[in-house]
Amino acid sequence: MKNALTLAFILAAAPAMAGVTLGEAVDKGLKADNILKEQAAAVTGAKAGLSQARLARLGGFKLKGMYTDGTDPVYAFATAMKQGTFSMASMATINDPDPARNYMAGIEAGVPVFTGFAVSNAVKMGKLGTEAAQNGYERARAGVTFKITYQWLTVLLRERLAGLAGETVRAAETELKTAQMLKDKGMVLGSDYYGAEAILSTLRGYKVGWDKALELERQKLAITLGLDPAAEVGAEGELKEAAYPARDRQALAAAASGGRRDIMALEKAAQIYKTGEAMQANSVLPVVEAFGSWETNSQSLSDFKDNRMLGLRLTIPLGDPGYFARKETARAQSDMAMSRLAEARRQAGLEVADALNNYNAARETLPVAKATVEKARQSLELFRPLYRQGRQSVLEVLRAQASVLQAEAAYYETLYKLNLYHAQLLLASETLDTAAVNEMSAGLSK
């Protein structure tokens, strides 16, 4: 009695297992996931790149300064002209000038007037890059959501299997205690008793293996949620026969082909490469820039003379030997992007077909698994009274218990697959969003 009270006190004082619902797990996991943080940074970088492309329309503005000291005749002549110190006496020493010292400070600005559509194409590519990055982020979010859902469902399954194994071992131990007393009285054959013990050992092996698997999956769930692996994290829910709506393969495939974020990102990437191809084709067009400069020059930092210059600068690239090679490279990159897009669309169709086939298989298998559990339980219930009446062996009772455990494990694994493949189908069709997660979470709540 004293030991029982001590055990009860310890259990009451021990911290309870922290359980999280599917919705809570997804919310915590999304905040902790590093891949999602990387994708968010990529979106920020793409937006900054777009701003940079837009600001390029404003041209450039810079300050400049320089100190020089030299005896080069051309330099000395020009410096004297800029400083306003040139005189007829300077002509006498023009071939052998004294050292000329100059302090220069100035401002220079340039504004593109026409860039051969380079700026407008850069802005276009910046917009496409931002949209591609945003689509990549959304797809990564869906992928992380599925990863968390998978881990949470795995913990939920392992918790149920470990519980079933524990219940079965306790029931088998009770039957063997009775069989031990009957064996001592000569009412149970020793061969049957030891055969039953062998079955009990097998059941205990299941329990040990499933307990360890549960411990590992809980650690993985904690890591997924950004917690310490030693944190006691469980799944707050129950595997059920969720009533998910029927899915049409063609409708799902069409949704995946046109609405999947990774495909949309690849579409934007293909447009970026197409725009890059146009930029290379336009690289032979003239470039026109309006520029202006203001400059001061002085020999002693006290008497500055200033000058200014305004104008238009026209640049026409002629005889560029690498033009056709660059143009061909851009075309090849564009073709590669289109091939990647086509393959992604094909792969999306395959993923939808695979997920839908797995989901339908689990749904059609579920009634069979449920019927198997019911029949196994009926068999066990029929064996027990016959055994107690001495008309059946304890060996058969434990065999029946093992069959019930295997049937129940198969049933819950089928329920697990049903929910997992449902989530996979939502991922493949780009509908694994917050509303879908909340719906699953509510359907699997206790």
Side-chain angles (χ1 to χ4, degrees), residues 57-71:
R57 291 168 170 164
L58 302 179
F61 176 84
K62 58 185 178 181
L63 299 175
K64 56 183 181 178
M66 183 168 56
Y67 168 76
T68 55
D69 189 332
T71 58

Side-chain angles (χ1 to χ4, degrees), residues 20 149-162 214 217-218 221 234-240 412 416 419 444-446:
V20 292
T149 301
Y150 161 77
Q151 191 57 50
W152 185 87
L153 285 171
T154 302
V155 171
L156 195 62
L157 172 65
R158 286 299 175 183
E159 287 177 343
R160 189 69 187 113
L161 293 182
L214 172 59
E217 296 302 334
R218 279 177 172 164
L221 178 60
E236 184 68 29
E238 183 180 0
L239 287 172
K240 299 178 183 178
Y412 282 106
Y416 164 78
N419 288 279
L444 297 171
S445 62
K446 287 186 178 180

Side-chain angles (χ1 to χ4, degrees), residues 136-335:
Y137 170 82
E138 295 296 338
R139 184 58 184 173
R141 182 183 177 89
V144 172
T145 299
F146 176 77
K147 179 182 70 174
I148 299 168
T149 301
Y150 161 77
Q151 191 57 50
W152 185 87
L153 285 171
T154 302
V155 171
L156 195 62
L157 172 65
R158 286 299 175 183
E159 287 177 343
R160 189 69 187 113
L161 293 182
L164 290 173
E167 294 169 4
T168 303
V169 167
R170 287 190 292 272
E173 288 174 342
T174 300
E175 296 293 349
L176 270 182
K177 286 179 181 179
T178 304
Q180 174 69 49
M181 292 186 292
L182 295 175
K183 184 176 76 71
D184 293 341
K185 296 178 182 180
M187 299 176 63
V188 173
L189 294 175
S191 59
D192 287 356
Y193 177 79
Y194 292 120
E197 274 198 330
I199 295 175
L200 176 58
S201 295
T202 300
L203 295 176
R204 285 172 175 164
Y206 284 153
K207 182 179 184 305
V208 171
W210 291 353
D211 284 345
K212 285 297 181 182
L214 172 59
E215 181 182 350
L216 173 61
E217 296 302 334
R218 279 177 172 164
Q219 291 176 359
K220 290 164 68 175
L221 178 60
I223 294 172
T224 302
L225 301 185
L227 304 175
D228 190 284
E232 295 290 328
V233 181
E236 184 68 29
E238 183 180 0
L239 287 172
K240 299 178 183 178
E241 298 182 32
Y244 297 123
R247 303 284 183 172
D248 179 71
R249 177 176 174 178
Q250 291 183 346
L252 289 170
S257 178
R260 272 190 35 168
R261 296 289 187 166
D262 54 341
I263 293 178
M264 294 172 68
L266 287 174
E267 288 175 346
K268 302 302 179 184
Q271 294 178 42
I272 289 174
Y273 281 110
K274 199 69 177 177
T275 305
E277 184 181 355
M279 289 181 71
Q280 291 301 327
N282 294 334
S283 64
V284 295
L285 295 178
V287 175
V288 180
E289 178 188 22
F291 69 92
S293 66
W294 176 79
E295 184 179 301
T296 64
N297 293 272
S298 172
Q299 186 178 10
S300 60
L301 285 177
S302 60
D303 185 17
F304 283 93
K305 181 179 181 182
D306 67 301
N307 59 79
R308 65 170 179 82
M309 183 177 294
L310 301 173
L312 290 174
R313 184 183 294 118
L314 173 67
T315 304
I316 302 177
L318 298 176
D320 183 358
Y323 170 74
F324 291 103
R326 292 197 308 273
K327 187 176 178 182
E328 191 63 30
T329 299
R331 181 182 295 112
Q333 291 175 337
S334 179
D335 291 342

